[in-house]
Amino acid sequence: MYTEALSIAEYADSEDISVPTGTLEKLYANRAAAYLNIVPGLHDEALVDCEKALQLNEGNHRALYRKARALKEMGRYKEAYEAVAKCSLAVPQDPNVIRLTQDLAKMLGLKIRKAYVRSKVRVCLTDHDKPMGMALGMPDVTPLPAIVDLAKNPLADTHEFKQACSNCYVKTVLDFTLYTEEHKCKKDILLGRIKNQLDKSWKLIRPRPTKSQYVGPYYICKDVAIGEGCRYPGHCTFAYCQEEIDVWSLERKGFICRDFLFDPFGPTSKINLTVPKILQEHHGIFMFLCGVCFDHKPRIISKTNKDNPSLCSHPVTKHAFEDQKCLVHILRENTVRYSKIRPYSPQNQMDICRHEVRYGCLREDECFYAHSLIELKVWMMQHQLGKLLSPIKGRFGPPNLKMQFVCGQCWRNGQVSEADKNKKYCTAKARHSWSKDKRVVLVSSIERKKWTTIRPLPTKKPIPSQFEICMHVSTGKKCQYIGNCTFAHSTEERDLWTYMKENNIPDMEQLYEHWLQSQKPGWSEEASNSTIKENGKQIHMPTDYAEEVAGNHCWLCGKNCNSDRQWQQHITSEKHREKVFNSEDDQNCWQYRFPTGTFRVCERYLKGTCTEEELCKLAHGNEELKEWTERREFLLMKLAKARKDHLIAPNDNDFGKYSFLLKDIK
């Protein structure tokens, strides 16, 4: 019947009668399915029809899937894998696509070493027993207890690990080769492989990318998945093999210590999780804020009061700061993100709360699971050390560097003079002005233990992905460049520039602000008695003594609002409403269309007579209806969390395409 329909379409074309491209595309794809279901299957004919359907629409996932099936039966496994890899991007949770991907990956392991990597498949986890972000096809990991013993390797039953160095694990033309000759191995590279696999080669497991706060599952690099080299070596944040996905997923959640994998069963292995190591991975700073204001609905960010440090800076209700303070991790990226670090207790579960990750945990502080990666790491550290986290002072900046700001004029004269209590003058007898153009930053590394001046971050655009040492300085000579050299003149300068770049600190003034807050939380240059130079004299402005405004903070958008009017404008904006219901990680969890609001299966679709296709208001099958129901419950949870946190106006019931949430299912 499909053949007859295509013949009619061909005849119509000869009579200048236009047949919709979408109809032709479906006819070819459906006839290909018929060819495959005939016993024995007509695989050549099916492949031809799939190619014709893909010429009309290269994104037709049904044609891609059937093309992969045909190629598989014809023994063309690599081409089949490439086709099903494209298909898995469109329908990441289709069980048939997942099964075909895994079968092809196993078959390719006999011929192509690299192409046996599993496809990028998104998984929406529904329980706490499985590590979040684990790709399908990973060997089962034994469920972990509430308090994880890092002295045990949870991958020991399914994986093997080995130490190597750049001298014994060498890149060849096509792949890496492990040489076993005797040599003085540095053992600074981690290798791994999955047990009981046909591919016995060792895979390089790179350090986990930590520049982003991404909490979803890790994916295989698209270039590597099709057997090619990565276009962004050294900067790619995707995994290169399944072993990397397995290690990264557990490492991010605190179930595995990378250092311990080098010697999984060594009796003398010791894990040292410290505050500098946590900040090196997650960036930002720790600070104490008023806990009452932070837990207020909506959230209010208030520090210590300038006039009375024992109280918070709330303009009306000033709470006792020491009694109500809470530890918060502050990360400044495109927006400001505040992550509360709740006190650790033995009842805490060493895992991330799946509700908090997806739509916000309604239990809040009563939840036993961690609500952020940084909170999980702090809990792990407290569990290991058996102590609570104290205020972090003097540890701002790269963990291997000590930092201080001194008077530039005194430093040129061989003296080290810091600022006085009021931050107006230096402590030297000359009383030099303490202004941004008169102070310099000094750093000292653990290795050199010598104070070195750091120049401002280069303003060259775009900022390089990584800073290099000046070639003149690296050879022990003086820099010959006329002007501002954009290369670092010391390893300390390179490390600090890199830290500033990764934490979005554009200049020395902001660096000083962050450093000052780390020395005395709640104190900043803006909030202190800052001065303004006018005609060479220092004058005070009325705003220098103004109390810092503690306004409402939207944790969804990372926006602070200093007035009720500004807050109302923000929470009623379209951009904020979309943020309430949507996030960049949500779309990859769903396979079918967005719910239309009518939760019934289309009878015409079941009979094969529905012509509205994507425009149909009814569900096309029980699977789509099931997903619509799950998606509605998911969005209702997000709406409930937003209402509880006062991120939605009380009388606001107009949510555009999400308004169906307020109606009962008929």
Side-chain angles (χ1 to χ4, degrees):
M1 293 178 68
Y2 289 125
T3 302
E4 185 177 353
L6 285 167
S7 299
I8 295 172
E10 184 179 355
Y11 176 76
D13 184 60
S14 65
E15 295 293 328
D16 295 329
I17 300 175
S18 177
V19 178
T21 303
T23 302
L24 291 174
E25 169 196 341
K26 291 179 180 178
L27 288 173
Y28 281 120
N30 289 347
R31 189 170 71 171
Y35 281 143
L36 290 171
N37 291 330
I38 293 174
V39 181
L42 302 177
H43 306 121
D44 293 327
E45 291 82 351
L47 179 59
V48 171
D49 276 359
C50 289
E51 294 289 4
K52 290 180 179 179
L54 292 171
Q55 288 176 3
L56 297 171
N57 178 13
E58 62 179 10
N60 188 320
H61 61 271
R62 290 184 175 86
L64 284 169
Y65 172 72
R66 290 159 190 166
K67 176 183 176 181
R69 279 185 57 192
L71 289 168
K72 175 192 172 186
E73 296 300 329
M74 297 166 67
R76 295 158 64 177
Y77 299 131
K78 183 176 181 180
E79 296 173 70
Y81 188 86
E82 293 174 359
V84 79
K86 294 178 182 178
C87 181
S88 66
L89 296 176
V91 284
Q93 288 189 313
D94 189 294
N96 294 322
V97 176
I98 294 170
R99 195 177 304 110
L100 180 60
T101 304
Q102 294 174 343
D103 291 343
L104 286 170
K106 293 177 182 177
M107 293 175 180
L108 277 173
L110 297 172
K111 294 186 176 181
I112 305 173
R113 289 176 56 186
K114 279 190 174 181
Y116 97 103
V117 180
R118 296 170 180 84
S119 178
K120 294 162 47 173
V121 180
R122 195 85 183 198
V123 182
C124 297
L125 296 182
T126 57
D127 55 66
H128 282 295
D129 292 336
K130 295 184 180 179
M132 189 182 66
M134 195 174 299
L136 284 180
M138 175 180 173
D140 293 334
V141 179
T142 305
L144 297 167
I147 301 299
V148 179
D149 184 4
L150 288 182
K152 297 180 180 179
N153 176 11
L155 294 176
D157 295 335
T158 55
H159 293 64
E160 296 178 88
F161 296 99
K162 187 181 183 67
Q163 294 172 292
C165 67
S166 56
N167 293 327
C168 56
Y169 194 69
V170 181
K171 181 175 179 59
T172 56
V173 178
L174 296 177
D175 208 338
F176 286 89
T177 302
L178 180 63
Y179 295 98
T180 57
E181 289 84 358
E182 289 292 331
H183 68 288
K184 190 175 182 180
C185 186
K186 297 180 180 179
K187 297 184 177 181
D188 56 353
I189 295 177
L190 178 62
L191 306 180
R193 65 185 179 188
I194 299 175
K195 295 180 179 178
N196 304 321
Q197 291 284 333
L198 295 175
D199 187 356
K200 299 297 183 182
S201 61
W202 292 96
K203 308 295 190 307
L204 173 65
I205 300 177
R206 299 167 298 151
R208 182 173 62 87
T210 58
K211 292 184 179 180
S212 66
Q213 297 294 313
Y214 177 66
V215 295
Y218 290 110
Y219 297 155
I220 297 292
C221 173
K222 182 171 65 175
D223 297 330
V224 176
I226 61 175
E228 298 178 358
C230 179
R231 286 174 288 180
Y232 308 101
H235 307 288
C236 185
T237 57
F238 291 92
Y240 285 171
C241 60
Q242 183 65 38
E243 288 81 356
E244 271 192 341
I245 289 181
D246 302 343
V247 172
W248 287 1
S249 299
L250 295 181
E251 185 181 9
R252 179 178 60 185
K253 300 180 67 177
F255 290 154
I256 283 181
C257 177
R258 184 183 184 86
D259 297 335
F260 195 75
L261 288 179
F262 279 95
D263 188 13
F265 304 102
T268 61
S269 296
K270 185 179 179 181
I271 301 169
N272 294 316
L273 192 60
T274 62
V275 172
K277 285 185 178 180
I278 293 175
L279 290 179
Q280 184 181 23
E281 177 179 350
H282 296 276
H283 313 297
I285 60 173
F286 288 105
M287 181 180 293
F288 282 115
L289 299 177
C290 175
V292 177
C293 294
F294 195 85
D295 294 335
H296 184 267
K297 309 297 183 187
R299 179 178 294 172
I300 298 175
I301 305 301
S302 61
K303 306 174 185 177
T304 55
N305 190 298
K306 290 186 306 182
D307 299 328
N308 188 354
S310 64
L311 302 177
C312 78
S313 60
H314 193 281
V316 180
T317 308
K318 300 187 183 299
H319 308 103
F321 192 84
E322 287 298 322
D323 296 336
Q324 305 292 346
K325 68 182 180 181
C326 67
L327 186 65
V328 176
H329 177 256
I330 305 175
L331 179 65
R332 299 179 185 273
E333 293 179 321
N334 298 328
T335 59
V336 184
R337 181 185 303 171
Y338 297 89
S339 301
K340 184 178 180 180
I341 311 297
R342 293 168 294 164
Y344 168 75
S345 68
Q347 289 77 28
N348 290 140
Q349 304 293 302
M350 295 303 178
D351 199 354
I352 295 179
C353 175
R354 61 186 175 94
H355 303 294
E356 180 69 19
V357 169
R358 298 202 66 198
Y359 42 73
C361 181
L362 296 177
R363 297 187 63 190
E364 298 184 345
D365 288 355
E366 296 180 1
C367 181
F368 293 132
Y369 290 89
H371 284 178
S372 64
L373 295 174
I374 188 73
E375 184 175 53
L376 179 62
K377 287 296 178 67
V378 172
W379 284 0
M380 294 292 297
M381 182 191 70
Q382 293 174 350
H383 172 61
Q384 294 168 15
L385 303 180
K387 63 182 181 179
L388 299 178
L389 192 63
S390 58
I392 312 300
K393 294 185 179 181
R395 295 306 303 168
F396 170 74
N400 63 320
L401 298 180
K402 295 181 180 180
M403 185 188 312
Q404 65 173 335
F405 282 83
V406 300
C407 173
Q409 290 177 269
C410 294
W411 175 254
R412 286 191 290 272
N413 295 329
Q415 295 179 317
V416 177
S417 302
E418 297 182 328
D420 61 9
K421 292 183 179 179
N422 295 321
K423 303 291 187 293
K424 296 180 183 177
Y425 307 100
C426 74
T427 54
K429 291 183 178 180
R431 302 279 288 170
H432 299 120
S433 171
W434 188 259
S435 55
K436 64 180 181 180
D437 57 330
K438 297 293 180 65
R439 56 179 175 248
V440 296
V441 58
L442 304 180
V443 298
S444 172
S445 64
I446 299 175
E447 297 81 13
R448 295 179 59 183
K449 297 181 180 180
K450 177 182 178 182
W451 291 106
T452 306
T453 57
I454 304 298
R455 297 173 299 145
L457 190 69
T459 56
K460 179 182 178 181
K461 300 293 184 180
I463 297 178
S465 57
Q466 59 183 20
F467 296 104
E468 303 291 345
I469 302 292
C470 174
M471 63 177 183
H472 300 289
V473 176
S474 62
T475 57
K477 301 178 182 178
K478 186 177 180 180
C479 180
Q480 304 297 319
Y481 184 76
I482 301 175
N484 294 324
C485 180
T486 58
F487 291 90
H489 284 180
S490 64
T491 55
E492 293 85 355
E493 189 169 70
R494 180 193 61 190
D495 293 344
L496 186 59
W497 281 1
T498 302
Y499 178 83
M500 292 173 67
K501 170 181 168 291
E502 292 178 348
N503 288 273
N504 296 320
I505 303 176
D507 51 41
M508 290 300 179
E509 186 66 12
Q510 289 198 27
L511 181 71
Y512 178 65
E513 284 290 318
H514 288 286
W515 176 81
L516 204 60
Q517 290 181 12
S518 69
Q519 300 300 301
K520 184 177 180 180
W523 182 307
S524 67
E525 188 73 356
E526 295 176 356
S528 65
N529 297 332
S530 60
T531 59
I532 296 179
K533 296 275 289 185
E534 183 176 331
N535 298 326
K537 298 181 179 180
Q538 293 180 341
I539 62 173
H540 293 281
M541 300 296 291
T543 54
D544 294 341
Y545 303 98
E547 185 68 51
E548 182 179 349
V549 177
N552 295 336
H553 174 77
C554 175
W555 59 266
L556 272 175
C557 307
K559 180 178 176 62
N560 287 313
C561 299
N562 297 326
S563 66
D564 289 337
R565 181 182 177 183
Q566 188 181 16
W567 176 254
Q568 292 300 323
Q569 289 177 344
H570 172 69
I571 64 176
T572 55
S573 65
E574 290 298 325
K575 186 176 181 180
H576 171 76
R577 286 179 181 175
E578 186 66 22
K579 199 80 173 178
V580 168
F581 295 105
N582 201 359
S583 69
E584 61 182 17
D585 196 43
D586 291 341
Q587 294 301 323
N588 295 317
C589 299
W590 309 109
Q591 179 177 339
Y592 298 99
R593 297 176 296 159
F594 186 82
T596 62
T598 306
F599 292 83
R600 293 200 312 272
V601 177
C602 177
E603 296 293 338
R604 292 184 298 169
Y605 175 80
L606 296 178
K607 297 177 182 178
T609 59
C610 181
T611 58
E612 296 184 56
E613 301 177 358
E614 299 295 324
L615 300 178
C616 184
K617 298 294 183 182
L618 303 177
H620 283 182
N622 292 322
E623 290 296 324
E624 186 171 56
L625 179 61
K626 181 181 178 183
E627 182 179 285
W628 281 7
T629 306
E630 292 175 354
R631 196 164 186 175
R632 180 178 182 272
E633 296 300 320
F634 170 76
L635 292 172
L636 283 173
M637 295 296 290
K638 280 201 163 189
L639 178 60
K641 176 65 176 175
R643 286 199 186 278
K644 184 178 180 181
D645 291 350
H646 291 200
L647 300 182
I648 294 289
N651 58 347
D652 191 356
N653 293 318
D654 182 14
F655 303 131
K657 70 176 185 177
Y658 301 99
S659 295
F660 71 89
L661 296 173
L662 306 178
K663 303 176 183 178
D664 294 331
I665 297 180
K666 297 180 181 180

